[in-house]
Amino acid sequence: MKVEDIKKILVVGAGTMGHGIAEIAAISGYKVYLSDISQDILNNALERIRWSLSKLQERGQIKESVDTIMSRITTIVGLDKTVSDADFSIEASTERMDIKRQVFSKLDELLPSHAILATNTSSLPITKIAEATKRPDKVVGMHFFNPPVLMQLVEVMKGDKTSDETAKVTYDLAKKFGKQPIMINKDVPGYVVNRILGQINVASCVLVEKKVADYREVDAVARYKLGFPMGVYELIDYTGVDVAYYVSKSREELGIRDDIPICSLIEQKFKNNELGVKTGKGFYTYPAPGKYVKPELPKELADKLNPVLILAGAVNEAARLLREGIASRDDIDLGVRLGLGLPKGIFQYADELGIDNVIKALEDLKALSGYSVFSPDPLLTQMVGENKLGIKTGSGFYTYGKVEEKKLNTLIIRIEPPLAWIILNRPERLNALNPELVSELDKSLDELEGRSDVRVVIITGNGRAFSAGADVSSFITLRPIDVIRLRTLRNVVNKIALYTKPIIAGINGFALGGGLELAMACDIRIASEVAQLGQPEINIGVIPGAGGTQRLPRLVGKGKAKLMIYTGDMVSADDAYKMGLVDLIVPANRFEEEVRRVALKIAEKSPISLLAAKLAIELGYESNIWTGQTLESTLFGLLFTTKDVEEGVKAFLEKRKPQFKGE
Ligand code: NAD
């Protein structure tokens, strides 16, 4: 059978899912039979479909009239010979094996021999349902997400006996419905997406139970560091603590994992009848039962917890699904993006976080909980053995540009597409800026500017310092005229200020004098919590000479700048953050990962709009608001001539991530 042979579709069960699935089938032009156990339920379903269609019509999302689409749906109480010309059935009845088996046995009896019998079950084995029929090769899982009309993803899953043809036709039908299907080759409880979500929940529970973090910190990291649309506990509140409770309870029955007890936090909330949004209180408090307001989470709550701890279990699960051939890399990532609304697939996250860090996190989680589910999957261990650590080594689950490392006399240049690191490398002199270093920095910046595979440049230091400033030992021999002529550092600093790629200062330690001036010219300053910053030139009888007297007051205000410059005192990273001298503080032991995470986020954007934003901000800031706004609107208009904007708008409408080429 081919998808083109399908003319009539039977949907069994007209509840939450069934009515939505029937609606999609009718919108897609199919004749639909919708069956349930009473006419009342069916009438209610028809009303819900009509209401939903009218909403779609208001938004211009359907081409035909509501009546035309409705006229394709015929309701049937129970199942009888009427449905014997259906080519495809989708069962969405109550989630009970006995009911499903009864329904399937009846369908097998009534439907023509070519018909495919799909089930929308969330958790019951397809193979067991298929056993109720004489056509197990034609029984398949077709898992929609709630609400089916809006959610793009459909998981197609084979039972032990499902034929390739059945799976293919089902996949193609999901496409005809305008959905994005993914293929799951083996009957695994929970399909792909819910298994992965399940592991995010398990790890998040361990972190709170073992007091590594509190639940708000987990949620803040999920939202602010990993870009989840909702925090882990926020989502549990949203879908219902009771749902999470029953899913965990049935885990054993489903054979998903046997050594993970139910999360004590969820059990506690469940027992207190604090079920989340529906009761007005769960992990968070809501204004009234059923009234959802997004919980407030201060950004600072995301500072402490290592994000990889939340995702490591999920990466491990995904690696297993991939290694066992249950689903492909691309399908798993697509599923995670569309099914969970995450900005990236789980393997993309893993590559960014570093596979070595994922394994370390798994070991930590295992030590905390004792759960064997956190034993690293052999695929991950193998990847580490092959130095496939993700973006930082140029390959992980995906392949990136080739990582190159070049050692100059005073710098290490590490190209890790789309990022480039310039590492000041005179650690024995706290990366003091001698003429050779400045000149190598100057040339390297020019070189990197010309490379299209480099989207963001990071300047950081090797060892304890970012840079402790000019090499004072060379000052002794200088005459005043030499100093005035010595424009090199100033030139490099100015080059950075108007550099055409985003440039980040990764302040790993001391940033003093010229070192701080260098950092201040960068677009963004990310400091390690141990960093110390200062303009100590006054201590040797001079003043900052590479823009310090100009950029420091622009960042922190005149008073604070004078205080720093007059006293020559250093400020801590924390104080620097409070004054606005640095933009982000990150833990010292995760410094590189955190800087990389921010840089990669920027690297995903259009290089042309990044440049336009930079010019508008930098030049506008130094002129007046009218000139600045004129520049802004000119650049704004110019951007509409780029292919990147075309791609950006298209991707937005198609609900996918844009691939900007900088054209
Ligand atoms: P629901 O309770 O809203 O609807 C089930 C419907 O099936 C009810 O109207 C019920 O009267 C009907 N029904 C029961 N026995 C029947 C029979 N013998 N013949 C015809 N109809 C019968 O449940 P739901 O949330 O729509 O879930 C339906 C299925 O979809 C379940 O298998 C569930 O696991 C799965 N699912 C649910 C969601 C979700 O978010 N709700 C998501 C994906 C999959």
Coordinates of all heavy atoms in Angstrom, one line a residue, residues 12-18 35-37 41 91-95 99-100 102-103 120-123 143-146, ligand 1:
V12 N -10.6 6.2 16.3 CA -11.3 5.6 17.4 C -11.0 6.3 18.7 O -9.8 6.3 19.1 CB -11.0 4.1 17.5 CG1 -11.9 3.4 18.5 CG2 -11.2 3.4 16.1
G13 N -12.0 6.8 19.3 CA -11.8 7.6 20.5 C -11.9 9.0 20.2 O -11.1 9.5 19.3
A14 N -12.8 9.8 20.8 CA -13.0 11.2 20.4 C -12.7 12.1 21.5 O -13.3 13.2 21.7 CB -14.4 11.4 19.8
G15 N -11.7 11.7 22.4 CA -11.4 12.5 23.5 C -10.4 13.6 23.2 O -10.4 14.1 22.0
T16 N -9.5 13.9 24.1 CA -8.5 15.0 24.0 C -7.8 14.8 22.7 O -7.6 15.8 21.9 CB -7.5 14.9 25.1 OG1 -8.3 14.9 26.3 CG2 -6.6 16.1 25.1
M17 N -7.3 13.6 22.4 CA -6.4 13.4 21.3 C -7.2 13.1 20.0 O -7.0 13.6 18.9 CB -5.4 12.3 21.5 CG -4.5 12.6 22.7 SD -3.4 14.0 22.5 CE -2.3 13.5 21.2
G18 N -8.2 12.2 20.2 CA -9.0 11.7 19.0 C -9.6 12.8 18.3 O -9.6 12.8 17.0
S35 N -15.2 7.6 15.9 CA -16.0 6.7 16.7 C -15.7 6.9 18.2 O -14.5 7.1 18.6 CB -15.6 5.2 16.3 OG -15.9 4.3 17.4
D36 N -16.7 6.8 19.0 CA -16.6 6.7 20.5 C -17.7 5.9 21.0 O -18.6 5.4 20.3 CB -16.5 8.1 21.1 CG -15.7 8.1 22.4 OD1 -16.1 7.4 23.3 OD2 -14.6 8.8 22.4
I37 N -17.8 5.8 22.4 CA -18.8 5.0 22.9 C -20.2 5.6 23.1 O -21.1 4.9 23.5 CB -18.3 4.3 24.3 CG1 -17.8 5.5 25.2 CG2 -17.2 3.3 24.0 CD1 -17.4 5.0 26.6
I41 N -20.5 12.0 23.7 CA -19.1 12.3 23.6 C -18.7 12.8 22.1 O -18.0 13.7 21.9 CB -18.3 11.0 23.9 CG1 -18.5 10.6 25.4 CG2 -16.8 11.2 23.7 CD1 -17.9 9.3 25.8
E91 N -6.2 4.7 16.5 CA -6.9 4.5 17.7 C -6.4 5.4 18.8 O -5.2 5.5 19.0 CB -6.7 3.0 18.1 CG -7.2 2.6 19.5 CD -6.2 2.9 20.5 OE1 -5.0 2.8 20.3 OE2 -6.6 3.3 21.6
A92 N -7.3 6.2 19.4 CA -6.9 7.1 20.5 C -7.9 6.9 21.6 O -8.5 7.9 22.1 CB -6.9 8.5 20.0
S93 N -8.2 5.7 22.0 CA -9.1 5.4 23.1 C -8.3 5.4 24.4 O -7.2 5.7 24.4 CB -9.8 4.1 22.9 OG -8.8 3.0 23.0
T94 N -9.1 5.1 25.5 CA -8.5 5.2 26.8 C -7.2 4.3 26.9 O -7.2 3.3 26.3 CB -9.6 4.7 27.8 OG1 -10.8 5.4 27.5 CG2 -9.2 5.0 29.2
E95 N -6.3 4.8 27.7 CA -5.0 4.2 27.8 C -5.0 2.9 28.7 O -4.5 2.9 29.8 CB -3.9 5.2 28.3 CG -2.5 4.7 28.4 CD -1.8 4.6 27.0 OE1 -2.5 4.6 26.0 OE2 -0.6 4.6 27.0
I99 N -8.8 -2.4 26.8 CA -9.7 -1.6 25.9 C -9.0 -1.6 24.5 O -9.7 -1.9 23.5 CB -9.9 -0.2 26.4 CG1 -10.7 -0.2 27.6 CG2 -10.6 0.7 25.3 CD1 -11.0 1.1 28.2
K100 N -7.7 -1.4 24.4 CA -7.0 -1.3 23.1 C -7.1 -2.6 22.4 O -7.4 -2.7 21.2 CB -5.6 -0.9 23.3 CG -5.4 0.3 24.1 CD -4.7 1.4 23.3 CE -4.5 2.7 24.2 NZ -4.9 3.9 23.6
Q102 N -9.3 -5.0 22.7 CA -10.7 -5.2 22.2 C -11.0 -4.4 20.9 O -11.5 -4.9 20.0 CB -11.7 -4.6 23.3 CG -12.7 -5.6 23.8 CD -13.4 -5.0 25.0 OE1 -13.5 -3.7 25.1 NE2 -13.9 -5.8 25.9
V103 N -10.6 -3.1 21.0 CA -10.7 -2.3 19.8 C -10.0 -2.8 18.6 O -10.6 -2.9 17.5 CB -10.2 -0.8 20.1 CG1 -10.2 0.0 18.8 CG2 -11.1 -0.1 21.1
N120 N -2.4 5.5 19.0 CA -1.7 6.7 19.5 C -1.3 6.5 21.0 O -1.0 7.4 21.7 CB -2.8 7.8 19.4 CG -2.2 9.2 19.9 OD1 -1.1 9.6 19.5 ND2 -3.0 9.9 20.7
T121 N -1.2 5.2 21.4 CA -0.9 5.0 22.8 C 0.4 5.7 23.2 O 1.3 5.9 22.4 CB -0.7 3.5 23.1 OG1 -0.3 3.3 24.4 CG2 0.4 2.9 22.2
S122 N 0.5 6.2 24.4 CA 1.7 6.9 24.9 C 2.7 5.9 25.5 O 3.9 6.1 25.5 CB 1.4 7.9 26.0 OG 0.6 8.9 25.4
S123 N 2.1 4.8 26.0 CA 3.1 4.0 26.8 C 2.9 2.5 26.7 O 3.7 1.7 27.1 CB 2.9 4.3 28.3 OG 1.5 4.1 28.7
H143 N 2.2 8.3 17.3 CA 2.1 9.1 18.5 C 2.1 10.6 18.2 O 3.1 11.2 17.9 CB 3.3 8.7 19.4 CG 3.1 9.3 20.8 ND1 4.2 10.0 21.4 CD2 2.1 9.2 21.7 CE1 3.8 10.4 22.6 NE2 2.6 9.9 22.8
F144 N 0.9 11.2 18.4 CA 0.7 12.6 18.3 C 1.0 13.3 19.6 O 1.0 12.7 20.7 CB -0.7 13.0 17.8 CG -1.0 12.5 16.4 CD1 -1.4 11.2 16.1 CD2 -1.0 13.5 15.4 CE1 -1.7 10.9 14.8 CE2 -1.3 13.1 14.1 CZ -1.6 11.8 13.8
F145 N 1.2 14.6 19.6 CA 1.4 15.3 20.8 C 0.2 16.3 21.0 O -0.5 16.6 20.1 CB 2.7 16.1 20.8 CG 3.9 15.2 20.9 CD1 4.3 14.4 19.9 CD2 4.7 15.2 22.1 CE1 5.4 13.5 20.1 CE2 5.7 14.4 22.3 CZ 6.1 13.5 21.3
N146 N 0.0 16.6 22.3 CA -1.2 17.4 22.6 C -0.9 18.9 22.6 O 0.1 19.3 23.2 CB -1.6 16.9 24.0 CG -3.0 17.5 24.4 OD1 -3.7 18.0 23.6 ND2 -3.2 17.6 25.7
Ligands
NAD1 P1 -9.3 10.7 26.6 O1 -9.8 10.1 27.8 O2 -9.5 12.2 26.5 O3 -10.1 10.1 25.4 C1 -10.3 8.7 25.2 C2 -11.6 8.5 24.5 O4 -11.7 7.1 24.1 C3 -12.8 8.8 25.4 O5 -13.6 9.7 24.8 C4 -13.4 7.5 25.6 O6 -14.9 7.5 25.7 C5 -13.0 6.8 24.3 N1 -13.1 5.3 24.3 C6 -12.9 4.5 25.3 N2 -13.2 3.2 24.9 C7 -13.5 3.3 23.6 C8 -13.9 2.3 22.7 N3 -13.9 1.0 23.0 N4 -14.2 2.7 21.5 C9 -14.2 4.0 21.1 N5 -13.8 5.0 22.0 C10 -13.5 4.6 23.2 O7 -7.8 10.3 26.4 P2 -6.7 11.0 25.5 O8 -5.9 11.9 26.3 O9 -7.3 11.5 24.2 O10 -5.8 9.8 25.1 C11 -6.1 8.9 24.1 C12 -4.9 8.1 23.8 O11 -3.9 8.9 23.3 C13 -4.3 7.3 24.9 O12 -3.8 6.1 24.4 C14 -3.2 8.2 25.4 O13 -2.1 7.5 26.0 C15 -2.7 8.8 24.0 N6 -2.0 10.1 24.1 C16 -2.5 11.1 24.9 C17 -1.9 12.3 24.9 C18 -2.3 13.4 25.8 O14 -1.5 14.4 26.0 N7 -3.5 13.4 26.3 C19 -0.7 12.5 24.1 C20 -0.3 11.5 23.3 C21 -1.0 10.3 23.3

